[in-house]
Amino acid sequence: MEDDGEEVFAALRKRALGYDASETISEYDAEGNETRRKVSTKHVPPDLGAIKLLLELRGGGKRMSEEELEEEKRRVLDLLKRLYADDGGKDGTR
């Protein structure tokens, strides 16, 4: 059961930071054979609600104002942009 908590925390962290997701669209002919496949990557932006919950869980219950949350979101996004710019996006993170 402890592993479930870790998985949930990891999923919450992923949602709070934003992530890239692959989407595959396939087309089939009348016989059911795949005729075309398109794979695209979409960026899911950070979720403010997930950021808020994550910070509350890590901060020992300290509640942040909406302004503080927005500032923290900007700080995290700026950090991610700098990290992405530094490696040129080679490691697949944003």
Side-chain angles (χ1 to χ4, degrees):
M1 203 52 106
E2 186 175 311
D3 290 335
D4 291 340
E6 290 173 14
E7 286 181 35
V8 170
F9 190 78
L12 177 62
R13 185 175 185 277
K14 180 179 176 181
R15 183 71 182 157
L17 296 175
Y19 58 94
D20 290 331
S22 293
E23 179 179 68
T24 303
I25 299 173
S26 299
E27 293 180 7
Y28 297 90
D29 62 16
E31 289 82 36
N33 300 314
E34 186 177 59
T35 59
R36 187 172 162 194
R37 177 183 288 190
K38 178 182 176 186
V39 179
S40 61
T41 301
K42 296 185 178 186
H43 181 68
V44 179
D47 179 83
L48 188 57
I51 292 170
K52 182 178 179 179
L53 181 56
L54 187 62
L55 291 172
E56 286 178 6
L57 291 173
R58 288 191 150 189
K62 179 188 174 222
R63 294 202 160 252
M64 298 176 80
S65 69
E66 291 298 319
E67 294 81 16
E68 290 172 319
L69 287 170
E70 284 294 332
E71 179 58 35
E72 182 66 9
K73 178 182 172 183
R74 281 191 290 276
R75 187 188 70 77
V76 170
L77 288 173
D78 288 343
L79 175 63
L80 291 171
K81 286 177 188 175
R82 285 195 308 269
L83 290 172
Y84 185 72
D86 288 345
D87 73 5
K90 294 176 188 166
D91 71 356
T93 60
R94 281 196 173 249

